[in-house]
Each structure stands twice: as structure tokens, then as C-alpha cells.
Amino acid sequence: MSDHKPHDSEAGTHQRWLEMDKESFTSDLERHFHFTLGRDQIDHSHLYLYTAAALTVRDRLVERWRETRQRYHYEKPKRVAYLSLEFLMGRALNNSVMNLDMEEQLREALTEFGVSLETLADEERDAGLGNGGLGRLAACFLDSCASLGIPVTGYGILYDYGMFRQRIRNGYQVELPDQWLRNGNPWLFEAPQDTRVVKFFGHTNVDIDTKGKRHVRWTDTHDVLAIPYDMPVPGFQNDVVNTLRLWKSAATEEFNLDEFNAGSYTEAVAAKNAAEQISMVLYPNDASENGKILRLRQQYFLTSASLQDVLSRWVSRSGLDFDHFADKNCFQLNDTHPAIAIAELMRLLVDDYALSWNRSWEITTATMAYTNHTLLPEALECWPLAMFREMLPRLLEIIHEINARFLHDVANRWPGDTDRLRAMSIIDESGHPQIRMAHLAIVGSFSVNGVAALHTELLKKGLFRNFYELWPEKFNNKTNGVTPRRWLAFCNPGLTGLIEEAIDGSWRNDLSELQRLKPFAEDSDFQTRWLAVKQSNKEALARLVKGRSGVRFDTEMLFDVQVKRIHEYKRQLLNILHVIHLYDRILKGDIDNMTPRCVLLGGKAAPGYQMAKLIIKLTNNVATLINDDPRASSLLRVAFLPDYNVTAMEIICAGTDLSEQISTAGKEASGTGNMKFMMNGALTIGTLDGANIEIREAVGAENFFLFGLNAEEVETLRKSYDPARIIAGDEDLSTVMTMLEKGFFDQGESGIFESICHAIRSPHDQWMTAADFRAFVDTQVAVGELFRNRSEWARKSILNTASSGYFSSDRTIREYATEIWKLDTGIG
Ligand code: N85
């Protein structure tokens, strides 16, 4: 800092204190190292230097953050709260450095400390506050909102433990706690002044006031504090910094006062744990709801704290007049996890702000919007009514009232149709009564969206058809996207450089500009350079694989990659069957025209999902056998990458040749990994599922390896599915099944894969793995052939990147902003 006078920022209106040159970076690094952290030269550990660098960057973020907040305060734009139980943010340092355009200066400053930016960046733990696609989508959306300059605040939970870390022991998954906050976290700002109180348990009383008006009081509650921690979300080189507000739970001081006074001090202190537990750990299921009480507490905790936050800001600015509330606010529900928001907003308006039911309902249904992320029945949330009655008695009353009024409307529309009434009710009375959160979300929202074209169609025709018939205008599609800053510019500097030589840098803000690369696909010099970049990215990926799994990948071979959560519907098994088949060909000497490949799988299994865990074990056993066999080493190598996460994907997607998107058609709502691979020039082998369909349309059928049944064919075949016959009729599949069944891969644990074989052979196999085996194997032969034609492969690879513009989350967010949120941003 040369002097302490503020200077005008480039934006003109704001004053900035901090310079962006190398000298001020150097002095700030020193200052933070010595004073903020209190360290000496002997402490030149990378962790302290990382923290000093993070704080230096953070100071510059904070300036822009305050400016953005002030601007929103004065301009009063319509604002959106994105409510999500998951935000899979990954690392922040490099992202901030890129978005504030300060890489060069920081690198220069760091040379004086004798350390590279990469080394320091590696000190940062991923913020892994999510399971997979849904959580990462929320993170990409926040990036796009900030980059487009639109006022969206993320609301989530500050879990002490994020997604578990995965180790592999003897081929099996072992879960370790993710203590991501252990070294402190420079990106979180505690905001105790905005602490909220969230109520649980207790009971309700009705008071009649002097005018005869009913008032419900929810009393004798167990209260929990929600303390906000704010994380800055910088836009791409636009001086905007939005906020992700994460709530941490804490006990109130009065907590269990009764017990204190009864003298049971230790019991009372121990009971504090119940409050603190709420934000302790992320539930590690990505596709099933296990009905745990703590999970419902998390959902209500997040929702109530966030709605109170928005309402109290409203009241402090606009007083108790809610007439324009819906013009200025919108809530986007990331799946049904925060769907209790519908009832909670009603409660706050009716009970706390004394609005009438009808007025409150108008406001609620004008501000709530719901995104669905799955059609899998096991992921649809239903909560036992009894659990609600005990934990959230007031919310249950409100849900009953919402349901009664809703069913009244349904009965008017379809008189006498009791089946329909039963099917649409928010309460499922077929067994122990349960609350269907998706129904609550639809009834209380003005918008319901799916996340890819096929997915939205299937919602309208299938799962939600009754609701679609009642309210067709509510339903809309918003095909997912990913941020091109993290998923191309940052993770693939080599390709970025090459692209910018060809077409300049405007694609970072408008990814459709990548179209202009298309002519270069034909240019053989450009193809050669394109392949050279891929080659060096494959070297980086090979290092990652070697480091984490011990398997050596040869970068001359085809890199065939499937990384995502392990789930039967994603069909990692189909991939493994193909690997076994290739190995069988090698053993038989049937290797003419076989293209050498390295097959990489990675992903976490939900800790209670036995079949998924067994698939990991099978992958590892198959890998061990093949990698130890010298006959295979020049043709086939297989690795399971432990602890797949956001940071690993940054290296993986840049170094992949072939992207595996092979889910059973109709089951993967969208997929977003598929988009990251495409952006980085991988070719896709995939089914007609989720966004694969749109990817194929964008790049052209001839540049996409399609195989397998489509969603309709899957449903038709289901009725007569006979895998035993398919296996018997296919020599290759028979051989593969025999190898599995004869214990070829058991490695001493006899019969361990029986349940897998049984599942593949079952006529009830929901995922119909055997049905697509032949098509998959044949298509893989075509992949191999094309890969040997380096120029053709390069051409198609370039075309994939060039056609990926539609899959920018900027496009997705523009659609949310104009079509759902109705923001007056002029960005449409
Ligand atoms: N869905 C997804 O990631 N879901 C979860 O993480 C999730 C489900 C769930 C249920 C993905 C109960 C408790 C916690 C839970 C879809 O599978 C992708 O197809 N977490 C899609 O691309 C992605 O959401 C983003 O839309």
C-alpha cells in the first residue's frame, strides 16, 4: 500500500484502498504472514503461506463484496434466495484469483517466498458440502449469477463434516470423516448479528383477541440458534461479489434451563449437543431418502433460518407492508429438501406478521419455485406424519390446511374422482400417513422445473401428470449447465490458450462464441496442437491416477473415463462387463485392431448402499487382476480413483478422451459431468438419457457414440425382460458372466460377487444391464477404430468443445432469471 487514501475503482463510483500490483501483493502477503497469522520465517510451511495468500486475495474480494451489498441495498433489485441443503463449492483460492484477474501479480509476489501458486492451492481442502450433481449444480449456479451480476444469495448449512473422504482398503470403500474446517477457513465470515432462532417440538395454543380474531401461538419449543457464516462468491472479472450464507447450529443460553435448575448441570450441557448436532454432518446419500429425524431437523433449520433472514431484511427496509414482497423476492427450492419452506413462509406470514391466510397464500405461491432433480422413486421424500406432529406441530397444522384447500379445488375440478384425490393429496394415507414433499412443493410453487428436456417431459407425462393436467402453466424445463470458468478456463489452461489464439477471449462470458472454433476442426495444424494439449493433460491425469491408485496409465492409450456417484442406474457395471470382455479377448488372443485403453472409474458409494460398495470392490478386483497380467499391459489398464471430488474432476475432465454416460435411459435426470467432459473435448459414449440427448443434438449425431435402448424401449421391454435369454444368446456376455460366476475375480473371497451376477440375471433388473451389453460393446469397437484415426478424432474432439456453448450455466441462469425469477436485469 503506497498510501492510505482510497482511490477510485474502475467502476467509477466506488473507492478502493487496495492496489492490484505485485508490490502491494508482496507487502500484504508479508503483513498477513507476520501479523494476522503471527508467523516467522521458520514457519514457512505451505499451510501458513496458503492462508496468507488467501487473506491477501480475500481483502480484495471484501472490497468488492461490500460494494455489491451496498449497491443491492440502494438499487433494491428483485432478489432470489437459492435454498439448498448442498453446495459443492470445491476450492476457492484459484477461482477468486481468476475472477479478480490477479494471477500474474500473485505469482510474481509468491516467487519472493520461493513457492508456486499451485503448491499453495494444493493446501486448500475442498468445500465438499454436497453429494454430487445437485450440490455441484448449486455451486455452478452461484458462479453464473455472480458473473451475470444478478442478486442471488445461496442459503445452505455449514456442515462441520462435508462429504466423507473415501479410502480403498483391500478393494473395499472405507469412509473417513471430512474435517474440512480443521485448519480454519479464510473464506467464511461469521455474522453473529444476523443470528436467528429456530423452533422445534412444543405445542400450539389458540388465542382469540378482543376483535375475535384467532391467533396461533407455538410454545414450549426447544429453540436452536442459527448463526450465519458468509462465503464470498465472486463474479468473473465484473467486480460483483455475491454471498453464500451457511448456517451453523448452536444451543441457546436458555437451553434446557429446567434441567439446569433441577441441578442436572451435566445432562443439560450434554443436551446442548442435540442443538449442535443439526449442522454436524452432511447426509451422504445422493439418491435415497432414509427418513432420519436429524435430516428433517436439518431441512427445517436451514429453511426457517433463511426465510426469517429474508423477511427480517424486508421488514427492516419496507416495514410490515408485504404488498410488494413478491415483486421483489423469489425462493428457488433445490429439490424437495427445503420444500418445508412453503409451510414455513405461511407460518411466518400468518403467525408472526398477522397476515390473513389468503394473502399469505398469494405471497407464498407467487414467490416459491421448485426444481426437481430425479425420477427415482426411492429419492422422493416422504416424511412420517407422526414425526412432523412431534417435531414441527405448527407446520403440520399448516400443511393440513394447505392440503384441505388444495383437495377442495381438485374435487371441484374432477368431481367424484376419489382415486385422483388420493393420488394427488399431500398426505399419503395408504399406510402409516406420510407427507409427500414433492406434492407440497408443487402445490405451493408457481414454477416446477425439470433439469433436461427429456426429464421434464417424463415429469409431465409420468410422475407429476396429475399436477401437469391441473396446472400446465407451472411446468417448465431448465436444462442444466456448468460454469465455463472453472470447467474450462481454469481447469484447462492449455486448451484455453489454444482457443484464444483462434477466437479471442469473449467465450468466457458467452460460451456460444465457441462455435467460431468449428472451422478450425478441419485445420490439420490446429488438430495437431489440439492433440498436443490433450496429451499434456493426459500426463497430468496419469500422475493423479498413479499417485492415488498406484496404477500406471500410458498416455498413448485411449483414456476411457467414468466418474460419478456409484449407483446401479448409472451402470458402472456395464462398464466393468465391457472391461472383462476386453480382457477375455486378450486372453483368447483376439486382439487384431484392439485399441489400447486405460479405463478409469471413480466415485463414492453411499455408506449404506451395499450393492454400490460391491461394485467398487469388483472394479478393484478386476483392475488388480488385469494390471498384474503382463499379457494385458500394452492393451488394457484399469484403475479405480479413490476419493473422487471437485478438485479431482478439474484434472480428470481435461485429460479424458472418452466420456462414459451410460445410464439406463430415463433414469439420469440430466447429468452435468457429461457437459464438463464435452467442453474439454472428450467424445461421449452414451445412451439417450438426460442431457446426453441435447449434447448429441448440439454436436451432431456423427460426433457422438450413441448406443442402447431409449427410455420408451426400456419401459416396453421391462414387461418381458428376459436377461437369461439375452445372456445365453450372446457368446461374449455368456463368457463374461461365466468368468464372474466361476470366481475369476474373487481373489480368495469365494462367491463375493454372487449378488451382482444375480442382479444382472434377474428379470426384475430395473437397470437392464444385459439388454444394452451388445450395443455397448459394438459401439466401443467403433470408438476404438476412430481413436486410431488421430486426425478424425481430433476433428470430432474440437467439434465437441465448439458445440458445448449451450451447456454453460450462464445460459441456464439467464433462463431462470427471465422465465422464472422475472428479474429486470436486461440480460435476457
Ligand atoms: N441429483 C443429485 O445429485 N441428487 C442428490 O445429490 C441427492 C438426492 C438426495 C436425496 C442429480 C435425499 C437426500 C439427499 C440427496 C441428478 O442425478 C443428475 O442427473 N441428494 C442431475 O444432473 C443433477 O442432480 C443436477 O440436476
Side-chain angles (χ1 to χ4, degrees):
M1 245 180 306
S2 45
D3 58 50
H4 288 261
K5 269 196 290 184
H7 59 88
D8 286 349
S9 76
E10 279 166 34
T13 48
H14 293 285
Q15 295 185 314
R16 298 258 173 78
W17 280 264
L18 302 177
E19 304 285 351
M20 293 293 269
D21 55 289
K22 180 208 160 189
E23 287 67 33
S24 38
F25 277 80
T26 309
S27 72
D28 281 9
L29 277 164
E30 301 230 339
R31 184 170 53 80
H32 281 304
F33 187 78
H34 293 302
F35 294 97
T36 314
L37 302 172
R39 296 297 139 194
D40 292 314
Q41 242 59 26
I42 47 166
D43 301 320
H44 259 194
S45 83
H46 290 159
L47 177 62
Y48 291 131
L49 280 176
Y50 157 73
T51 308
L55 293 171
T56 301
V57 169
R58 191 181 91 162
D59 290 339
R60 276 116 187 122
L61 269 180
V62 166
E63 281 194 314
R64 290 157 181 81
W65 203 5
R66 287 174 18 226
E67 288 168 17
T68 304
R69 276 203 303 258
Q70 283 175 27
R71 195 158 51 74
Y72 292 160
H73 183 89
Y74 290 112
E75 294 176 6
K76 298 188 173 55
K78 182 171 186 180
R79 301 177 66 157
V80 178
Y82 194 87
L83 304 190
S84 178
L85 270 284
E86 305 189 11
F87 286 91
L88 195 41
M89 302 297 283
R91 288 177 176 166
L93 176 63
N94 277 322
N95 190 249
S96 302
V97 168
M98 172 174 64
N99 283 9
L100 267 59
D101 197 13
M102 48 201 227
E103 182 178 333
E104 215 172 294
Q105 308 91 302
L106 183 61
R107 279 188 190 282
E108 279 177 30
L110 286 175
T111 56
E112 307 208 355
F113 295 80
V115 58
S116 72
L117 181 55
E118 284 72 18
T119 303
L120 292 192
D122 268 336
E123 289 295 313
E124 184 175 353
R125 302 284 305 264
D126 272 32
L129 308 184
N131 274 286
L134 170 148
R136 182 55 227 177
L137 185 75
C140 283
F141 279 5
L142 292 186
D143 181 273
S144 284
C145 290
S147 296
L148 294 168
I150 63 184
V152 174
T153 301
Y155 280 101
I157 292 179
L158 184 68
Y159 301 107
D160 296 315
Y161 298 88
M163 189 58 200
F164 66 81
R165 283 182 304 140
Q166 180 193 55
R167 288 263 172 84
I168 301 297
R169 251 185 241 143
N170 181 33
Y172 289 101
Q173 167 175 299
V174 177
E175 301 94 23
L176 300 176
D178 165 44
Q179 302 182 345
W180 71 294
L181 295 171
R182 204 173 34 189
N183 297 328
N185 187 310
W187 309 107
L188 290 169
F189 291 73
E190 189 175 357
Q193 71 279 12
D194 291 341
T195 296
R196 310 286 165 199
V197 177
V198 179
K199 301 194 212 189
F200 291 96
F201 304 104
H203 50 86
T204 61
N205 295 316
V206 179
D207 293 342
I208 311 288
D209 68 16
T210 49
K211 293 182 194 131
K213 198 171 172 237
R214 256 178 117 249
H215 297 277
V216 178
R217 283 185 302 118
W218 181 10
T219 58
D220 296 328
T221 50
H222 287 201
D223 295 348
V224 173
L225 297 182
I227 304 168
Y229 287 74
D230 292 340
M231 198 182 269
V233 180
F236 179 68
Q237 299 180 7
N238 65 353
D239 289 335
V240 172
V241 180
N242 283 343
T243 300
L244 170 58
R245 174 157 277 199
L246 299 171
W247 300 101
K248 182 180 170 69
S249 63
T252 59
E253 267 186 56
E254 308 83 52
F255 202 82
N256 280 350
L257 202 62
D258 291 347
E259 264 126 298
F260 267 108
N261 293 340
S264 39
Y265 168 79
T266 40
E267 282 77 4
V269 172
K272 273 167 63 111
N273 281 331
E276 280 153 13
Q277 258 177 30
I278 292 177
S279 60
M280 191 82 77
V281 59
L282 167 78
Y283 273 93
N285 310 324
D286 79 318
S288 75
E289 191 49 69
N290 53 10
K292 290 284 169 20
I293 292 176
L294 180 58
R295 170 77 178 177
L296 180 58
R297 298 189 79 189
Q298 290 183 338
Q299 296 187 350
Y300 183 65
F301 170 76
L302 159 72
T303 302
S304 180
S306 307
L307 293 189
Q308 289 183 51
D309 204 54
V310 172
L311 287 187
S312 78
R313 193 187 55 225
W314 176 262
V315 170
S316 74
R317 311 263 163 89
S318 314
L320 291 169
D321 178 359
F322 283 89
D323 280 357
H324 298 288
F325 183 77
D327 302 332
K328 289 289 183 187
N329 290 281
C330 191
F331 300 96
Q332 190 70 41
L333 308 178
N334 200 20
D335 216 296
T336 55
H337 314 155
I340 185 70
I342 307 238
E344 175 66 1
L345 184 56
M346 288 300 289
R347 185 187 73 81
L348 291 167
L349 294 176
V350 172
D351 294 358
D352 289 6
Y353 293 106
L355 268 62
S356 73
W357 180 276
N358 288 338
R359 187 73 197 102
S360 302
W361 188 244
E362 275 172 20
I363 292 171
T364 299
T365 52
T367 51
M368 293 284 170
Y370 156 54
T371 304
N372 172 284
H373 294 268
T374 182
L375 294 150
L376 298 184
E378 59 268 38
L380 295 179
E381 294 191 292
C382 289
W383 292 108
L385 198 122
M387 204 188 270
F388 256 82
R389 181 175 296 119
E390 190 189 342
M391 189 192 305
L392 305 168
R394 179 58 182 141
L395 282 294
L396 180 61
E397 292 175 359
I398 289 170
I399 290 171
H400 275 309
E401 182 70 26
I402 293 171
N403 197 36
R405 290 167 185 247
F406 164 62
L407 291 180
H408 178 81
D409 292 348
V410 175
N412 276 341
R413 167 81 192 263
W414 290 288
D417 192 345
T418 50
D419 284 348
R420 200 187 286 258
L421 227 46
R422 240 193 308 276
M424 295 182 79
S425 174
I426 295 171
I427 317 246
D428 174 2
E429 317 243 25
S430 59
H432 286 297
Q434 298 212 315
I435 302 183
R436 295 163 166 154
M437 299 307 279
H439 292 203
L440 177 63
I442 299 171
V443 172
S445 298
F446 67 89
S447 165
V448 177
N449 77 281
V451 290
L454 173 71
H455 171 59
T456 302
E457 283 314 304
L458 294 174
L459 285 179
K460 294 197 289 195
K461 284 198 211 111
L463 195 58
F464 296 154
R465 68 181 170 280
N466 286 323
F467 292 96
Y468 179 59
E469 224 181 300
L470 183 61
W471 295 308
E473 69 285 355
K474 284 193 189 188
F475 285 77
N476 64 94
N477 177 246
K478 296 286 167 283
T479 297
N480 285 166
V482 303
T483 169
R485 270 78 59 185
R486 184 179 294 260
W487 298 114
L488 181 53
F490 169 68
C491 74
N492 204 339
L495 209 61
T496 299
L498 190 53
I499 292 169
E500 294 192 345
E501 277 182 45
I503 62 164
D504 78 45
S506 56
W507 60 274
R508 289 175 191 225
N509 285 314
D510 178 3
L511 204 66
S512 65
E513 290 285 317
L514 287 179
Q515 293 277 3
R516 288 162 49 209
L517 278 176
K518 281 186 180 166
F520 293 89
E522 316 298 329
D523 174 336
S524 79
D525 177 52
F526 193 79
Q527 290 174 355
T528 306
R529 299 174 68 201
W530 189 268
L531 292 178
V533 170
K534 184 59 86 178
Q535 191 62 24
S536 89
N537 292 334
K538 287 170 76 170
E539 278 153 23
L541 175 50
R543 281 193 294 277
L544 178 77
V545 171
K546 181 78 179 62
R548 286 207 196 174
S549 73
V551 179
R552 225 170 37 79
F553 271 11
D554 177 344
T555 54
E556 295 300 314
M557 295 161 75
L558 166 69
F559 278 19
D560 170 343
V561 178
Q562 185 178 25
V563 287
K564 49 182 78 225
R565 288 300 291 257
I566 310 295
H567 199 292
E568 288 163 278
Y569 84 80
K570 295 178 188 280
R571 293 201 299 196
Q572 280 92 357
L573 263 181
L574 182 58
N575 194 353
I576 298 165
L577 295 184
H578 174 243
V579 168
I580 297 175
H581 163 68
L582 290 180
Y583 185 47
D584 172 52
R585 278 182 58 190
I586 293 169
L587 296 183
K588 287 198 300 226
D590 172 20
I591 56 173
D592 286 352
N593 296 328
M594 186 184 270
T595 299
R597 16 177 130 205
C598 297
V599 179
L600 181 66
L601 284 96
K604 293 172 184 177
Y609 187 175
Q610 291 313 321
M611 187 58 102
K613 292 180 122 174
L614 197 57
I615 292 170
I616 292 177
K617 172 64 173 166
L618 175 61
T619 308
N620 281 307
N621 281 14
V622 169
T624 305
L625 198 76
I626 293 176
N627 298 334
D628 286 349
D629 188 340
R631 289 169 294 183
S633 74
S634 65
L635 287 171
L636 183 60
R637 300 184 195 179
V638 187
F640 183 88
L641 185 93
D643 204 36
Y644 171 61
N645 62 4
V646 170
T647 294
M649 184 57 162
E650 290 165 4
I651 296 164
I652 295 167
C653 69
T656 292
D657 294 311
L658 182 67
S659 154
E660 299 268 354
Q661 306 300 335
I662 60 178
S663 51
T664 311
K667 298 298 171 191
E668 187 70 271
S670 163
T672 43
N674 47 3
M675 302 168 185
K676 295 162 199 168
F677 285 116
M678 180 200 200
M679 254 176 217
N680 287 277
L683 275 64
T684 303
I685 181 164
T687 48
L688 282 177
D689 200 14
N692 296 352
I693 297 174
E694 290 154 88
I695 286 177
R696 178 167 171 267
E697 277 162 15
V699 71
E702 66 287 5
N703 302 310
F704 182 106
F705 291 100
L706 176 69
F707 77 98
L709 302 174
N710 66 26
E712 230 179 276
E713 291 164 342
V714 164
E715 289 318 312
T716 309
L717 179 62
R718 207 179 278 293
K719 295 164 203 136
S720 59
Y721 185 49
D722 185 359
R725 204 178 44 90
I726 296 173
I727 294 167
D730 188 311
E731 209 182 306
D732 293 334
L733 184 51
S734 295
T735 309
V736 168
M737 291 304 291
T738 306
M739 290 170 83
L740 273 171
E741 283 162 348
K742 290 265 155 73
F744 208 86
F745 303 101
D746 285 5
Q747 289 180 7
E749 295 176 80
S750 176
I752 45 171
F753 301 122
E754 234 166 58
S755 57
I756 288 183
C757 301
H758 189 258
I760 297 172
R761 285 186 177 278
S762 165
H764 307 293
D765 174 19
Q766 283 194 73
W767 324 114
M768 303 208 270
T769 305
D772 280 341
F773 176 83
R774 178 46 41 200
F776 185 55
V777 167
D778 291 346
T779 308
Q780 287 284 22
V781 171
V783 170
E785 255 168 46
L786 184 77
F787 190 72
R788 291 199 301 274
N789 183 343
R790 301 309 292 143
S791 156
E792 261 305 282
W793 187 276
R795 197 175 71 81
K796 290 184 193 294
S797 167
I798 296 165
L799 289 176
N800 266 272
T801 301
S803 311
S804 67
Y806 183 75
F807 303 101
S808 165
S809 47
D810 295 351
R811 186 270 312 152
T812 313
I813 285 300
R814 279 196 190 92
E815 292 179 7
Y816 275 87
T818 55
E819 294 164 26
I820 300 178
W821 304 334
K822 305 269 166 25
L823 303 185
D824 38 345
T825 53
I827 56 164

